[in-house]
Amino acid sequence: MNASDATAPAEKDRHLHVRMADDRSSIYDLITEYLQASGKAPDWFWRTAGRLEGNEADNLEELLSSAFEAGAFIAHDHPEDLEFLWVTEEECEKERRREERGGPSDASKKERSSMSHYA
């Protein structure tokens, strides 16, 4: 057994978190930029996302597809704005507890407020 064998299981048990590198940045603004660049209607997207219910499968598929495309757009056109973290379940749980104790962060408040004009 070598050193790489010992770390392999730990690496396999990690999952990806993608975050904005700057707490003052808003993911909603970057998604809106993508929607505009791709000729899609940001107003429709944000309004539909805000009132989506489980029985709207057609809208859900369009929203998920657009969100996936937006993620690729952001990663390609704005890589400096993203931070990729591979975390274990334990690290993820610690972060959740920290967020719960501290309440919503300033960044999440900003993200919600930047989206509110579309609702």
Side-chain angles (χ1 to χ4, degrees), residues 12 31 37 63 65 73 83 85 100 104:
K12 187 171 68 174
I31 291 172
L63 285 172
S65 175
F73 169 84
E83 183 177 89
L85 305 168
E100 288 171 0

Side-chain angles (χ1 to χ4, degrees), residues 11-48:
E11 291 299 319
K12 187 171 68 174
D13 294 335
R14 293 182 179 270
H15 62 273
L16 181 64
H17 283 195
V18 180
R19 302 224 174 3
M20 299 302 295
D22 183 352
D23 288 342
R24 296 169 301 202
S25 296
S26 170
I27 189 70
Y28 297 105
D29 293 339
L30 293 175
I31 291 172
T32 298
E33 180 184 331
Y34 156 73
L35 291 166
Q36 291 169 332
S38 67
K40 297 183 180 187
D43 289 344
W44 174 86
F45 183 89
W46 293 121
R47 285 188 185 119
T48 303

Side-chain angles (χ1 to χ4, degrees), residues 19 89 91-106 108-109 112:
R19 302 224 174 3
E89 279 299 320
E91 293 166 333
C92 187
E93 191 57 35
K94 283 181 185 176
E95 184 177 333
R96 272 192 215 116
R97 285 193 300 269
R98 189 172 44 248
E99 287 174 358
E100 288 171 0
R101 283 192 307 269
S105 69
D106 289 340
S108 65
K109 288 178 190 174
R112 284 194 299 276

Side-chain angles (χ1 to χ4, degrees), residues 41-84:
D43 289 344
W44 174 86
F45 183 89
W46 293 121
R47 285 188 185 119
T48 303
R51 67 174 184 261
L52 188 63
E53 295 183 16
N55 60 356
E56 298 183 38
D58 291 338
N59 287 339
L60 178 59
E61 184 175 340
E62 177 64 25
L63 285 172
L64 290 174
S65 175
S66 292
F68 187 78
E69 291 169 355
F73 169 84
I74 293 165
H76 183 268
D77 285 11
H78 298 280
E80 70 284 355
D81 291 331
L82 299 176
E83 183 177 89
F84 299 92

